[in-house]
């Protein structure tokens, strides 16, 4: 079981463009806190294949990092993340904070058919519609 302190310290990371990213980790493992934390990286954290820190991460590294901030350990593989937690039967049943993943991509559902994800090198960490982020099938997994 993971332990969480009551007070979380701010995390500062410098990405490859020497841009400093400072965000405060969530105090609780709620969907709202996870989504807020994930959104704080939009536009500032670059996509780097194999990475799993705000200095540069790929899709599954981003999901892994965000959930680790609230004490939830996930593998650094979108395929493994597609089997984490409990299955959700359809996008209509998905809730903000669920993970969408398949063998090639992973993202965090934020509602209204949208995800936050590390999409690719040109977009970096961004918002996408589910249809843009996933061209094929995907699993919806609830870990919170």
């Amino acid at each position: 079981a993971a332990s969480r302190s009551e007070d979380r310290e701010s995390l500062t990371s410098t990405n490859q463009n020497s841009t400093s990213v400072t965000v405060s980790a969530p105090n609780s493992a709620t969907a709202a806190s996870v989504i807020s934390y994930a959104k704080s990286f939009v536009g500032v954290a670059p996509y780097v294949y194999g990475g799993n820190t705000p200095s540069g991460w790929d899709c599954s590294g981003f999901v892994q990092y965000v959930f680790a901030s609230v004490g939830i350990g996930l593998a650094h593989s979108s395929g493994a993340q597609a089997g984490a937690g409990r299955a959700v039967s359809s996008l209509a049943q998905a809730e903000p904070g669920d993970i969408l993943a398949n063998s090639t991509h992973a993202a965090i559902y934020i509602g209204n058919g949208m995800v936050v994800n590390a999409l690719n090198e040109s977009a970096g960490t961004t918002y996408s519609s589910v249809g843009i982020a996933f061209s094929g099938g995907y699993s919806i997994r609830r870990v919170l």
Side-chain angles (χ1 to χ4, degrees), residues 77-85 87 99-103 105-106 138-141:
S77 154
S78 60
Q81 290 174 3
I99 297 170
L100 276 63
N102 61 23
S103 63
H105 193 63
Y138 53 86
S139 295
I140 304 168
R141 310 301 295 191

Side-chain angles (χ1 to χ4, degrees), residues 35-92:
I35 291 167
S36 176
Y37 190 54
K39 286 179 173 182
S40 70
F41 297 107
V42 169
V44 296
Y47 179 97
V48 175
Y49 181 78
N52 66 349
T53 71
S55 296
W57 44 38
D58 57 19
C59 60
S60 58
F62 168 67
V63 172
Q64 179 188 45
Y65 185 90
V66 169
F67 280 93
S69 73
V70 295
I72 296 173
L74 296 170
H76 186 176
S77 154
S78 60
Q81 290 174 3
R86 299 177 314 278
V88 175
S89 60
S90 70
L91 192 58

